[in-house]
Amino acid sequence: MNIHVITVLPELLDSPFNHSILKRAQQKGLVNVHLHNLRDYSNDKHKSVDDYAFGGGAGMVMMMEPIVNCLEALQSEKKFDEVIYMTPDGENFSQSLANRFSLLGDIAILCGHYKGVDERIRQHYVTKEISIGDYVLSGGELAAAVVSDAIIRLIPGVLNDETSALTDSFQDNLLAPPVFTRPADFKGMKVPDVLLSGNAAYIEKWRFEQAVERTKIRRPGLLDQ
Ligand code: 6GU
């Protein structure tokens, strides 16, 4: 899979993609992440990427030209399956969207900044608009890192048995059950006996019941889906 991130702040994304699971996924060749600095696609001498909003008002708007130059340069080599625009007024990101995106070959993620992009980019170039929640970030970069992380760990071969995505929260519309590790007794705080029983069927049943209970209490809406 190829993920192309288009941003005015590529430095902000260096670190998230260069550690742990995302780093190993790239080393194994399962995903290639390409960061594109929007300024490199500006044609004017000041390398501008934004301009005042027509009609007035505070805040700058990301211009058509650098974004279109960038998308067209990238698309001339390979068509994208999705051009995703990161914006607080997009569709709420979810595990089911992550699952869907993880099956694609090539995606572009455009990070919004300032007051956002010229609406014509959204009308004519963007195929999906994504938000990561009902709060406002300074830019789309951290949200793009969140979305990319959720996608990349689902690509076949990225996770091994120990980190398997099958038992994640949300994967079956249930939150994950509680987990414990050694010691079995830490200063009188004890691990549930069932987990020490060695009875796999009993443990599996307990985990399922705990997941259902936890979901009922914390996220009842998930159980209706
Ligand atoms: Cl995708 N961008 C920004 N700027 N803020 C957000 C967001 C995205 N998702 C939630 N808040």
Side-chain angles (χ1 to χ4, degrees), residues 1-203:
M1 175 184 226
N2 290 295
I3 301 180
H4 292 266
V5 185
I6 303 164
T7 165
V8 292
L9 283 172
E11 305 81 11
L12 201 50
L13 287 162
D14 282 338
S15 171
F17 285 115
N18 282 302
H19 295 281
S20 182
I21 288 171
L22 301 198
K23 181 180 183 177
R24 252 178 293 127
Q26 291 172 87
Q27 286 169 341
K28 285 195 210 164
L30 297 169
V31 64
N32 296 303
V33 178
H34 313 265
L35 304 179
H36 302 282
N37 190 337
L38 199 54
R39 261 177 229 290
D40 295 340
Y41 295 88
S42 169
N43 283 346
D44 74 34
K45 61 175 187 287
H46 305 292
K47 299 278 169 210
S48 326
V49 291
D50 58 343
D51 205 342
Y52 296 101
F54 275 125
M60 305 295 278
V61 176
M62 290 171 73
M63 298 156 65
M64 295 291 291
E65 192 180 54
I67 298 172
V68 173
N69 284 347
C70 181
L71 284 173
E72 284 180 350
L74 301 179
Q75 300 253 40
S76 69
E77 291 175 25
K78 197 113 170 259
K79 286 274 169 275
F80 293 125
D81 299 307
E82 295 279 5
V83 176
I84 300 168
Y85 174 48
M86 301 307 307
T87 176
D89 61 1
E91 174 181 346
N92 262 332
F93 191 56
S94 61
Q95 191 64 40
S96 65
L97 275 176
N99 289 341
R100 250 174 57 211
F101 290 153
S102 73
L103 303 173
L104 302 177
D106 297 86
I107 61 175
I109 305 181
L110 173 62
C111 301
H113 250 270
Y114 320 110
K115 285 284 161 196
V117 297
D118 188 305
E119 187 67 18
R120 291 166 292 182
I121 292 290
R122 303 174 68 158
Q123 292 166 340
H124 300 287
Y125 295 89
V126 167
T127 61
K128 199 93 190 155
E129 303 186 326
I130 300 287
S131 161
I132 62 162
D134 292 342
Y135 41 81
V136 177
L137 303 170
S138 323
E141 284 74 15
L142 298 179
V146 166
V147 166
S148 301
D149 184 307
I151 295 171
I152 291 169
R153 61 193 295 288
L154 294 173
I155 297 172
V158 170
L159 299 184
N160 51 36
D161 270 359
E162 273 158 44
T163 51
S164 167
L166 293 174
T167 54
D168 286 345
S169 279
F170 303 110
Q171 206 50 271
D172 43 13
N173 276 333
L174 285 179
L175 300 181
V179 293
F180 300 86
T181 188
R182 290 184 292 179
D185 183 336
F186 181 78
K187 300 185 180 182
M189 294 177 269
K190 298 215 172 70
V191 169
D193 286 337
V194 47
L195 296 177
L196 311 175
S197 70
N199 182 333
Y202 190 24
I203 291 171

